[in-house]
Amino acid sequence: MTSLPKLHRFNSTSLEHEWRTFRIAAWLGWQVESNWTVPIVFFIYAILRPISTALILLLMYIVIAGNHRGEYFDYLYISNALYLIVMQSIANMSWTVLEDREHYRMLKYIYTAPVSLFAYLIGRAVARLSIGISTSVLLLTVGALWMGLHLSLLSVQWGWLVTYFALGIPVLLSFGIVIAGLALVITRNGEFMGEIIASMLLLVCSVYFPPDILPVILRKLSLAMPVTYWLEGMRRALAGGLLRYSAAMGGRPISPRLALYSNSDLAMILACFSVVGVTISFFFYRWIEGVAKARGMIDRITGF
Amino acid sequence: MSQSPLAIKTDNVGRIYKKKAAKRVSRASSPDSSRQLVALDGVTLEVEKGELFGLLGPNGAGKTTLIKVLTTLLTPSFGSAEVLGYDVVREPKAIRERINMVSGGETSGYGILTVKENLWMFSQFYGVPTKEAHRRSDELLARLELTGMKDTRVSGLSTGERQRMNFCRGFITDPEVLFLDEPTLGLDVHIARVTREFTREWMRKNPERTVLLTTHYMAEADELCDRIAIIDKGRVLACDTPENLKRMLQAQPVFQIRAGGLSESGIDGIRSTTGVIGLTQEFDLETSHHSLNLILQEESVISDVVGAIGAAGGKLVGLEKHEPTLEDVFVKLVGRSLKEDVTE
């Protein structure tokens, strides 16, 4: 085998190298996500399952509120659809760490390769994020066509939608990175951690319950969470404005607390959270990777 | 980076794991030392560029821990280690660009990817151009007799085939220093020989390439390595060429004795005979004979040994003197046979 000239292969800049790592990791992520089973099972898992969940939500709504679909239904339905993106971003990055370390047993080879694990994890998350986004779009379409969701392409505030989406994704990925870092140092039951945290967010991040109706401590927690603002902004952009209870119930905003913020305020809050989140997650991950390395946990098999 | 012609240099490097205290043992009653596991205990080694260096030791000796430290997977608890002059703690990135690692006896690999995809993907992490990566991959797969499996998903490979693919993964990036951790563990005899031949050939083609090999197999270490460090309980007991290590026993004769009717207590009696430095045993189920390998202080001790066999009720079947092997050196230094350790 002919040897390459010394370090010829690393004459690319650091940024180019990170970009290559990201691309390869995204390719691997897509292979893992799309080829893990036969197409019919993938179809059931990726499409039928979330639609079934939406149907359950619809049924529960009809039992409680009757057949009238007010804006509160839109609030619940849109939140539920968007939450899939939150779930895929947050819960699944830690799953990647565990899967690579304990199932494929490749994390140590990735780690000892000249790649940034940070770029690798984000690359791997892209495939799952794409599946989350596609499923959300599908759910919103199904909702608008058959479930009485008030959603029209003409009323969507596209500019805000793109803005909130672009500002929110870094925040969600930062969350995912922090939890993936924790997964590196957790020896047992780490596979549940991502889902536990994502489920907690379901409760406090205004997915089903606006902050206003939560107990004081949870309300404070809710208002400290970037996901709360991201969901609010995305809901407004998709619904074409602030969601309100029906006129019979006073027509007040579903979340008066969040209604205090204008679209620009929400975008500014999300921008701040993005900067802070990315910075914190970067440094936190570097620190916790050092802890994992010091404890010898990068390649530890814990009975996954 | 310091100016160093060495491929690997460790200076009193050590690694201590903290063990969790057992629930029933109160922390107060448990001394600190009982909650610590010393995996590496002050290892000092120097490996020149172009060397094929072997680490020989029983399970738990610290071989893999040392590899983990050198490949930047694990932080040392004390001491320092350098690879190609780069410090493993301060300059891990520079090291990772120049090394690769293969661990044997593993079923690692992305099962959903084909063999060729797995190799290609890794080559990309190291920045090898795609065309070159495919050329190398084809060459390696042919040498390791995996060409027919290149489009097979890794999940469809046997353990041995996965190991061969993993071996190819280690070479595809053409590292300056390659760490082979028990690379032939679980491979059949033919493929193990192919991997050994390939490793030697790969090193001959570029005298700058360095391999650090850990192995259980004496013959493999003897055949492949330019120098060997015998390691046990985290410490290097001896480090030299295989010939020089064997020369350590030149003044001490090595005998092989076959005897029938020996009990374990009888063998213990032989072991405690004055002048016996080392004794290892194997039992042949077919003939019901024990085969004893003895390292003696001097040749005259053999008569006392034969007397001890008679006193233990044994019957001498055969006796021959042979040239010392690495196994004998290992027994002398560690106090037990590597084969016994593997069997355990």
Side-chain angles (χ1 to χ4, degrees):
Chain A
M1 189 182 294
T2 329
S3 182
L4 286 171
K6 208 171 269 184
L7 297 186
H8 160 82
R9 52 193 187 269
F10 290 105
N11 58 8
S12 52
T13 64
S14 176
L15 200 62
E16 283 170 336
H17 196 64
E18 303 272 321
W19 171 240
R20 181 167 48 229
T21 301
F22 172 81
R23 275 191 298 119
I24 302 297
W27 172 82
L28 173 64
W30 181 248
Q31 297 298 318
V32 171
E33 294 311 316
S34 60
N35 288 329
W36 62 271
T37 186
V38 292
I40 182 69
V41 177
F42 181 75
F43 176 77
I44 292 169
Y45 178 82
I47 295 170
L48 287 192
R49 196 180 73 144
I51 289 178
S52 305
T53 311
L55 280 171
I56 293 168
L57 185 70
L58 174 66
L59 193 68
M60 284 165 62
Y61 181 87
I62 290 172
V63 168
I64 295 166
N67 212 14
H68 171 72
R69 314 274 201 285
E71 290 191 3
Y72 189 62
F73 174 73
D74 297 344
Y75 179 98
L76 288 177
Y77 194 95
I78 294 173
S79 303
N80 181 61
L82 295 173
Y83 181 71
L84 287 171
I85 300 174
V86 178
M87 185 83 176
Q88 293 287 359
S89 317
I90 291 180
N92 289 322
M93 226 185 267
S94 59
W95 185 255
T96 297
V97 167
L98 294 163
E99 202 175 44
D100 270 19
R101 182 173 66 187
E102 314 211 7
H103 179 58
Y104 296 122
R105 305 198 174 189
M106 293 301 284
L107 192 65
K108 67 174 175 179
Y109 296 118
I110 302 278
Y111 189 78
T112 53
V115 302
S116 144
L117 213 51
F118 196 82
Y120 173 79
L121 285 174
I122 291 177
R124 286 288 304 269
V126 163
R128 293 189 191 238
L129 192 59
S130 312
I131 292 173
I133 293 167
S134 312
T135 313
S136 288
V137 171
L138 179 84
L139 271 187
L140 292 171
T141 309
V142 169
L145 292 177
W146 293 295
M147 295 190 192
L149 175 69
H150 303 101
L151 189 71
S152 148
L153 291 178
L154 295 174
S155 62
V156 171
Q157 296 170 343
W158 292 101
W160 284 118
L161 186 71
V162 172
T163 306
Y164 291 134
F165 185 81
L167 290 172
I169 292 300
V171 176
L172 296 178
L173 290 178
S174 302
F175 250 113
I177 284 284
V178 167
I179 298 168
L182 290 172
L184 267 181
V185 294
I186 286 180
T187 48
R188 287 184 198 283
N189 304 319
E191 65 267 32
F192 303 119
M193 188 179 53
E195 286 186 16
I196 290 169
I197 293 175
S199 303
M200 281 166 56
L201 294 182
L202 181 74
L203 180 69
V204 297
C205 288
S206 79
V207 181
Y208 297 138
F209 311 109
D212 313 68
I213 64 167
L214 292 172
V216 178
I217 293 175
L218 290 183
R219 189 187 313 150
K220 284 182 177 168
L221 189 60
S222 177
L223 293 171
M225 290 287 180
V227 178
T228 303
Y229 301 96
W230 184 69
L231 286 174
E232 176 65 14
M234 292 291 282
R235 274 190 301 257
R236 283 188 203 177
L238 284 165
L242 197 61
L243 289 165
R244 295 171 181 279
Y245 287 110
S246 61
M249 293 180 72
R252 61 185 172 86
I254 290 171
S255 170
R257 183 70 182 74
L258 292 174
L260 295 174
Y261 300 109
S262 67
N263 284 348
S264 307
D265 292 340
L266 286 178
M268 193 59 78
I269 290 169
L270 277 174
C272 293
F273 270 124
S274 279
V275 173
V276 172
V278 169
T279 309
I280 288 177
S281 68
F282 181 76
F283 286 106
F284 175 80
Y285 187 80
R286 271 180 58 168
W287 170 74
I288 206 140
E289 191 185 294
V291 171
K293 190 174 154 181
R295 290 186 190 171
M297 300 181 87
I298 304 285
D299 65 334
R300 189 170 292 180
I301 308 299
T302 62
F304 167 82
Chain B
M1 179 185 167
S2 61
Q3 289 300 313
S4 168
L6 295 170
I8 294 165
K9 183 183 176 191
T10 67
D11 184 13
N12 190 37
V13 75
R15 171 69 204 188
I16 296 169
Y17 287 102
K18 283 179 187 159
K19 290 194 284 185
K20 280 184 184 169
K23 280 182 185 170
R24 288 181 188 177
V25 180
S26 76
R27 281 178 181 265
S29 67
S30 170
D32 276 354
S33 59
S34 69
R35 296 205 302 270
Q36 291 186 341
L37 175 74
V38 181
L40 274 185
D41 193 4
V43 170
T44 300
L45 280 177
E46 289 191 350
V47 180
E48 302 275 348
K49 280 183 187 170
E51 257 193 303
L52 205 162
F53 191 89
L55 280 177
L56 195 59
N59 284 333
K63 306 184 299 289
T64 301
T65 304
L66 181 57
I67 284 200
K68 284 185 186 178
V69 168
L70 294 171
T71 54
T72 74
L73 261 178
L74 183 66
T75 313
S77 305
F78 56 87
S80 65
E82 289 178 5
V83 176
L84 296 161
Y86 296 101
D87 188 274
V88 294
V89 177
R90 292 194 308 271
E91 299 161 295
K93 191 170 175 288
I95 293 175
R96 290 171 191 161
E97 288 173 356
R98 293 161 171 85
I99 64 165
N100 208 333
M101 170 178 61
V102 175
S103 298
E106 276 188 350
T107 53
S108 54
Y110 290 104
I112 34 81
L113 301 184
T114 66
V115 170
K116 203 155 184 189
E117 285 170 340
N118 259 291
L119 295 178
W120 171 81
M121 186 187 76
F122 259 88
S123 71
Q124 298 311 291
F125 284 143
Y126 287 78
V128 181
T130 291
K131 202 175 162 191
E132 174 66 10
H134 286 315
R135 190 190 68 73
R136 290 182 189 186
S137 152
D138 288 343
E139 186 182 326
L140 285 163
L141 291 173
R143 283 303 304 271
L144 271 290
E145 301 174 20
L146 270 178
T147 302
M149 314 292 283
K150 69 177 181 183
D151 294 319
T152 304
R153 275 191 180 182
V154 171
S155 56
L157 300 182
S158 67
T159 306
E161 286 164 346
R162 277 189 183 213
Q163 209 165 316
R164 277 144 69 188
M165 182 200 73
N166 212 7
F167 189 80
C168 296
R169 186 193 48 69
F171 284 86
I172 199 163
T173 60
D174 194 16
E176 290 176 58
V177 181
L178 178 61
F179 295 88
L180 299 176
D181 190 10
E182 308 272 5
T184 56
L185 194 67
L187 290 181
D188 68 48
V189 177
H190 168 66
I191 293 295
R193 199 182 65 238
V194 169
T195 58
R196 285 196 291 270
E197 282 170 5
F198 180 78
T199 306
R200 262 284 169 220
E201 199 181 302
W202 181 76
M203 291 199 64
R204 263 199 304 272
K205 283 183 180 170
N206 185 342
E208 290 280 291
R209 288 167 174 158
T210 308
V211 169
L212 182 81
L213 168 88
T214 75
T215 182
H216 268 104
Y217 304 124
M218 297 284 178
E220 186 168 88
D222 205 353
E223 180 192 331
L224 272 180
C225 299
D226 301 315
R227 283 196 304 146
I228 292 169
I230 293 178
I231 184 168
D232 188 40
K233 293 177 183 161
R235 287 190 206 164
V236 173
L237 304 180
C239 177
D240 215 325
T241 62
E243 292 70 31
N244 284 345
L245 286 172
K246 285 183 250 179
R247 224 167 273 151
M248 283 168 64
L249 289 180
Q250 234 166 19
Q252 290 150 342
V254 182
F255 284 89
Q256 192 168 41
I257 288 176
R258 277 185 301 122
L262 281 176
S263 61
E264 281 302 314
S265 59
I267 292 170
D268 285 342
I270 298 164
R271 187 177 277 119
S272 57
T273 304
T274 311
V276 172
I277 297 170
L279 184 155
T280 58
Q281 52 154 324
E282 274 180 65
F283 185 70
D284 186 341
L285 278 172
E286 260 182 47
T287 60
S288 297
H289 291 158
H290 275 95
S291 181
L292 308 178
N293 211 55
L294 293 132
I295 305 166
L296 305 179
Q297 195 80 52
E298 55 187 48
E299 209 153 314
S300 62
V301 176
I302 194 66
S303 57
D304 296 340
V305 170
V306 172
I309 291 172
K315 187 184 166 192
L316 189 67
V317 179
L319 185 154
E320 63 179 280
K321 188 181 171 190
H322 67 80
E323 286 300 309
T325 62
L326 269 184
E327 174 80 22
D328 300 322
V329 178
F330 189 87
V331 170
K332 188 194 170 193
L333 291 170
V334 177
R336 62 187 189 278
S337 159
L338 198 53
K339 283 181 201 159
E340 285 171 29
D341 194 79
V342 173
T343 317
E344 279 165 22

